Amino acid sequence: LVRENMAELLSFAETQKLLDDLPRDQQKLVAELVPGQISVGSIQRVLQGLLAERVSIRDLPTILEGIQEACAGGARAIPSIVAHVRTRLARQISDAHLGQAGYLPLVTLSPVWEGHFHEALVGTGEERQLAMAPSQLAEFMQRLRGAFDEAAGAGESPVLLTSGPLRTHVRAIVERIRPETPVLAQTEIHPRVRIRTVGSI
C-alpha cells in the first residue's frame, strides 16, 4: 500500500515541477525529450513505475538520459522504457539491496523455470503477455515461498534474479504473494557489486 501510494502521489503537476527545477545545464535534455520523444505524462508514468518498486528517483538526470536512450532505441511502451532506465540505475538498485555483510544475496531463477516462463509468453514485441497454466503457476509460487523462507531462516533478505525480458512478468506474479520481494534483472546487478547466491527456484 505504501509503495502504491508513493507512486500515486507523483502527480502530473509534481512531475512537471521536478523537470522545471532541474539545473539549467539539464534543461537542454528536457527540451530534447519533451514533447518530441516523450510526453510529460509518460515521464510521470515511468517515474511512478520506479517508485512502485521503491527505486529512488532523486537521480533524475540519469533517469532522463535512460528515457532518451530507450526512446531512441525504438521503445514506446512504458514497461520497456522503465526496464532500460533500471539498467542505467544498476549501481543504485544493487546498493539498495546489499546485506549487512556487504554483498547482494540472490535467489536465482533456474534455467528450467526461465524456460517455463519463456514458453508461457504469448504475443510479440512490447505486447507480450504471460499465459502460464494455473497448475504451473501454483508450483512456481510454492517453490518461491520455499526458497525465500529458507533464505530468511538463514538470516538473508535476498532479491530474486531473472533475465531482463522476463523481469516484469515474473515481478507481476511475485507481487501477488511476496510484494516486498525485489525482482532484479541480470542487467540491474552492477559489475562491481559483490554477490552471493543463497538459493534457487
Side-chain angles (χ1 to χ4, degrees):
L1 186 64
V2 173
R3 289 181 298 111
E4 288 174 1
N5 285 347
M6 278 176 61
E8 288 170 8
L9 284 171
L10 184 70
S11 64
F12 181 93
E14 184 65 26
T15 303
Q16 185 67 68
K17 186 175 186 302
L18 287 173
L19 297 176
D20 291 343
D21 288 349
L22 281 169
R24 183 173 292 179
D25 61 338
Q26 298 293 336
Q27 291 298 333
K28 184 182 177 186
L29 176 59
V30 176
E32 289 174 0
L33 269 177
V34 182
Q37 294 178 281
I38 195 169
S39 66
V40 173
S42 291
I43 292 176
Q44 175 194 1
R45 289 169 61 202
V46 170
L47 297 179
Q48 286 175 329
L50 295 170
L51 288 171
E53 293 191 56
R54 293 187 181 141
V55 176
S56 170
I57 60 170
R58 286 195 187 97
D59 190 1
L60 193 54
T62 298
I63 292 171
L64 293 175
E65 287 169 9
I67 290 173
Q68 186 179 47
E69 288 173 356
C71 291
R76 292 293 175 266
I78 298 300
S80 298
I81 298 173
V82 171
H84 185 80
V85 169
R86 286 177 62 98
T87 64
R88 286 295 305 265
L89 298 174
R91 182 86 209 202
Q92 173 189 313
I93 290 173
S94 297
D95 285 351
H97 300 297
L98 291 180
Q100 289 184 340
Y103 61 82
L104 181 64
L106 309 173
V107 169
T108 59
L109 197 61
S110 70
V112 172
W113 276 103
E114 286 268 344
H116 289 331
F117 274 94
H118 276 293
E119 289 165 9
L121 288 175
V122 296
T124 57
E126 294 184 337
E127 304 303 318
R128 299 187 88 186
Q129 300 290 327
L130 191 70
M132 186 175 278
S135 58
Q136 201 170 43
L137 205 53
E139 183 187 352
F140 174 74
M141 290 179 172
Q142 183 180 359
R143 289 175 182 266
L144 178 78
R145 283 195 189 98
F148 275 86
D149 288 349
E150 188 175 333
E156 300 283 6
S157 298
V159 304
L160 178 61
L161 184 68
T162 182
S163 61
L166 292 180
R167 196 199 79 83
T168 53
H169 303 291
V170 174
R171 172 64 193 161
I173 294 171
V174 172
E175 196 168 28
R176 299 183 202 173
I177 55 169
R178 295 185 66 92
E180 74 285 356
T181 298
V183 180
L184 270 60
Q186 290 154 355
T187 51
E188 295 166 10
I189 305 295
H190 193 273
R192 294 187 181 178
V193 169
R194 289 168 52 220
I195 61 173
R196 180 180 293 177
T197 301
V198 299
S200 181
I201 297 173

